[in-house]
Amino acid sequence: MTKQLPKNNLQSGYDIKLLFPVLFLVGIGIVMVYSSSSALALKEFGIDYYFFKKQTFFSLLGIFALVSCRHIPLKLFRSLAYPFLFLAFLLLIAVKFSELGITVGGSTRWLRLGFFTFQPSEFARFSLVLFLAYSMSKKLDKLKDFSIGFLPHLMVFVIFAILIFLQPDFGSVIIFGAVTWIMLFVGGARILHLLTPLLIFLPALYIFMINAPYRLKRMMSFWDPWQYSTDEGYQMIHSFMAFGTGGIWGTGIGKSYQKLFYLPEPHTDFIFSVIGEELGFLGVLVILFLYFVILWRGINIAINADEPFGSFMAIGLTIAIGLQVCINMGVTLGLLPTKGLALPFLSYGGTSLLINMASIGVLMNIGASANALKTQRGRKQNAKNK
Amino acid sequence: MKPIEKKHIRLRTILIGFIFSIFLSVIGARAFYLQVFCSSWLSRKAANQYEKSLIFHGKRGTIYDTNHREMALSIDVISIVAYPPNIKDPAAISRSLNKTLEIDVNSLNQRLTSDRSFVWVKRKVTPKEVKDVKALDLKGIDFIAEHERFYPNKTLAAQVLGFSGIDEHGLEGIEYYYDTYLKGSTCRFTVLKDAFKRGFDTEKNVMPDCSGNNLILTIDYNIQYLAERALEEASVKFNAKSGMAIVMSPKTGAILAVAHYPFFNPNSFGEFDRNLWRNRSITDSFEPGSTMKIFSACAAIEFGGCSSNTIFFCENGKYKIGKNIVNDTHPHGWLSLQHIIKFSSNIGTVKISERIGPEHIYKTFSSFGFGEKTGIDCPGETSGGLSHYNTWAKIDAGAIAFGQGVAVSALQLITAASAIANDGILMAPYIVQAITDQNGRLIKSSSPRIVRRVVSLDTARIVKKIMASVTTEGGTGVNAALEGYAVCGKTGTAQKIDKKGTYSDEKYTASFLGFIPADDPEITVLVVIDEPRGKHYGSIVAAPAFKRIAHETANYMNIPLTVDNSFGRLVDMRIHENGARG
């Protein structure tokens, strides 16, 4: 019996089904960042291509990161798990407690690094996934054990969560929590264990909401943004207007009205609204399809990984991307309360682009090594048959 | 890895993938709902914010004189408006606006609390008021651009220009007659605004061309000015009720000046008697008196076989026709046609009309344009009064021949005289020479229009010579004589009909009609002084004003001095006379 060998996913090549959607999204991202930010850039910096230029630069850097991560041996990643975790911790400390932190709109999320700024929470997310994958693969048999398999991972999350919460970046905390939770779930943690933090988290969330009236108002505005059209619901209804104006076919690239200072962050958090307006429902469908392909490939790679580390790493990176996509889109479409989260590959933001493209590189790497193993096994099988 | 573990991970991973697929489907469904179901509602809602429909009243065109000097123009002014639905505290706003704009608190408060979406606060305010109100930074108060008509030369040519009202509609004069050209159109257009309410779509933001067109008049500011000063001088000197003066180019029919006394200021027309507003030289008719004799002389030469030397017996000052007696100021015996005009003999003129008959008098007068509108581009023109010769009584033919029992407008009179000056060809008078759009491109231009040949070239030349003799020694028009120019002219002294319907001995219309230079006339001038006090002869009241206007206009226009041989003798003689007097 001869096993059909996969030919398109060569060991040394690139997973086309993953590469193509990513590059396509990055390309659309560059165009849409330019379209959505030119008016803002002209106003703030006097040149319309200010964000476009930077996004293009980071896209090229992102491709470099993707290629690098595709070829770096997986073993190296494994050994980097703790150093990365420590580095992420230091960076998060630095952003909050050093002079290097940059505060924009009340949130301290960026580090000043020469000409560029760096968003440590993006790196921390990658490090968390790497650490969890490494640690869980090591403790595979003890994952059902609360104090060994569950609590240490939870503690790492809690430390990161507190540091990011201080920035504050509530959206990232949710992503971190969800990634940790889902990874532990996939790894085989007991459902009962997984439910305990929720029992602590939900009342905490409740108190948190009640104590900060603006958060409560934000929650309320999410249910009925039209009632808060001038303050809390403002972004929401303008996002709706963008989608509505776009209709099925869109107004055409460059012809969004909502980007003209109606939408507060047209090139970052609300780029999907501008896409909805300029490219219409058809554009939205294309974008959804591209993300679906990426997630599907990610899940596929996770399932087919030859070892638990690769499997956990793949699922962690995939859900990190997937959650960002779903939360960002959910916010712009009014399905979720407003959160400041970037849309992977599309939103303006260097760190986000680098980390997400590196993640794709790692995914490809995992997929390729699994294929290599299969190929090896196949050869052995063929040899035996002969 | 144990197979069981792997299967476990595999199942949970597939579950996660499945959940993500559901998420993406929900997102797609939500996008479909917003972009397809709610699209029209949402896009309308959005358009309400970024589109602003504006009604824009185009600026009224400018009226220029022949040298492109502004006679009437519209200036940008700001009006303060309010949008009552956006006003939260009308009482406070009323109070603060009351202080800065000095308007009544109660009426303003009433307007601000009305359920209308737009009310005027104060129209056409000063720049300082705008600045003060802007400094208050009131919500619901806005500023809109309007236009206000402004007449920079104040009273100059006011009756010709007329004026327009607060909404920029022409109410009188040229402003009224050419309103359809001058007025800006009202356009509704859409501006797209960003969230800072700045217009952003440069293509759609271009103001539509709704400005009105400009008029270029034949009126010359300088001639108008000097005519007004001369008219004012004569009118004030003789304490006249009113006065008119017209300067025309006989070769083209272009009106160079139309002066009316008393003056009024169109910038504040409401403060003046409305009887001063109209262009009386066109709308009002009067009995011209002796100035009509030149047209009778034309008829005599054209139809009566007369020459300037044909003699008529002037009955020594009294001539009875039926019950009526015609008088001359000075009794004359036999007079040549030339002398009848020169000395302005009524009896002589009656004799002329008897010789040629009422039909030819009527036809000649009609041909000169009396009894019909000249068709000038000004509102309210009168056709004057010239009844058909069938209806004339025996005395009428003679009386009409010397200017009694016929009513003419000043414009008809000068236009007819210009026909003589123009070698017998009647030109249609006009006052607007060109219409241009707001970018200065020509839309329409008026060129001189020949109405008809009225008399032959010979007849015109003979009458010109006769008229030239009027301003020489012994003629009635000697006060109109100019140095360096041979002046053709004719005095007019008409009794006005009083309330009883008979000719008054107190109220006269004194006039002088003439043109210079005699050999090649460039300007025709008519001065009409209504009800002068003290003196009433045209030769004394109107001729000096004619002289001043003709002299200054000739200087201004650099009209060459008279050198023609046939008139040269007259000039030499006059210079000699002046020298002798001096």
Side-chain angles (χ1 to χ4, degrees), chain A residues 269-285:
Chain A
D269 298 354
F270 283 91
I271 197 164
F272 191 55
S273 314
V274 178
I275 290 172
E277 188 175 6
E278 298 194 349
L279 305 179
F281 181 61
L282 290 182
V284 167
L285 279 188

Side-chain angles (χ1 to χ4, degrees), chain B residues 100-147:
Chain B
T100 41
L101 296 177
E102 292 172 354
I103 38 179
D104 184 52
V105 185
N106 294 330
S107 84
L108 180 61
N109 198 30
Q110 211 164 20
R111 269 176 284 160
L112 294 184
T113 48
S114 74
D115 52 6
R116 291 164 63 192
S117 61
F118 167 94
V119 291
W120 294 106
V121 174
K122 190 174 181 183
R123 288 185 79 173
K124 300 181 180 178
V125 296
T126 64
K128 188 186 176 296
E129 286 173 321
V130 173
K131 202 178 145 215
D132 291 349
V133 175
K134 274 190 177 160
L136 293 173
D137 192 25
L138 301 168
K139 210 186 168 203
I141 299 291
D142 203 358
F143 304 85
I144 63 167
E146 284 203 284
H147 309 296

Side-chain angles (χ1 to χ4, degrees), chain B residues 251-446:
Chain B
K251 290 172 182 173
T252 62
I255 309 283
L256 304 179
V258 185
H260 290 83
Y261 178 86
F263 307 119
F264 84 95
N265 186 345
N267 292 310
S268 53
F269 58 87
E271 294 167 17
F272 293 86
D273 183 351
R274 57 188 305 134
N275 287 320
L276 298 179
W277 293 349
R278 66 183 188 275
N279 190 344
R280 298 191 305 277
S281 63
I282 288 161
T283 60
D284 291 14
S285 60
F286 59 98
E287 289 201 1
S290 307
T291 45
M292 287 301 274
K293 286 171 187 166
I294 57 173
F295 308 111
S296 302
C298 286
I301 296 162
E302 192 85 356
F303 301 107
C306 300
S307 74
S308 57
N309 297 321
T310 305
I311 54 167
F312 295 88
F313 182 61
C314 292
E315 308 283 347
N316 291 316
K318 274 198 190 333
Y319 184 42
K320 199 169 178 209
I321 307 169
K323 288 177 188 168
N324 304 88
I325 294 168
V326 179
N327 296 306
D328 272 342
T329 319
H330 304 286
H332 297 288
W334 289 89
L335 286 177
S336 66
L337 177 59
Q338 178 174 335
H339 283 121
I340 289 171
I341 303 300
K342 183 174 180 178
F343 304 135
S344 197
S345 167
N346 292 343
I347 297 167
T349 314
V350 172
K351 289 291 178 77
I352 292 168
S353 89
E354 283 173 354
R355 179 168 175 152
I356 56 176
E359 186 184 349
H360 285 308
I361 292 288
Y362 174 80
K363 282 189 174 162
T364 305
F365 280 18
S366 291
S367 189
F368 270 109
F370 296 110
E372 63 176 26
K373 293 177 180 177
T374 64
I376 192 168
D377 40 354
C378 289
E381 189 184 4
T382 177
S383 51
L386 177 66
S387 52
H388 194 268
Y389 67 91
N390 286 343
T391 65
W392 291 356
K394 195 166 182 245
I395 178 70
D396 287 344
I400 286 168
F402 64 77
Q404 242 178 31
V406 58
V408 303
S409 71
L411 181 73
Q412 283 176 327
L413 197 56
I414 193 171
T415 307
S418 294
I420 297 172
N422 193 31
D423 291 335
I425 295 168
L426 184 70
M427 302 301 292
Y430 65 101
I431 203 153
V432 171
Q433 54 176 302
I435 302 173
T436 59
D437 69 10
Q438 71 262 40
N439 300 317
R441 281 188 295 259
L442 190 68
I443 288 178
K444 200 176 155 183
S445 69
S446 319

Side-chain angles (χ1 to χ4, degrees), chain A residues 185 238 244 257 262 276 333, chain B residues 12 30 35 39 49-50 193:
Chain A
F185 168 73
H238 281 284
Y257 297 117
Y262 289 103
L333 287 163
Chain B
R12 290 192 175 188
R30 175 71 175 174
Q35 299 196 270
S39 177
Q49 289 202 313
Y50 63 74
K193 306 166 306 165

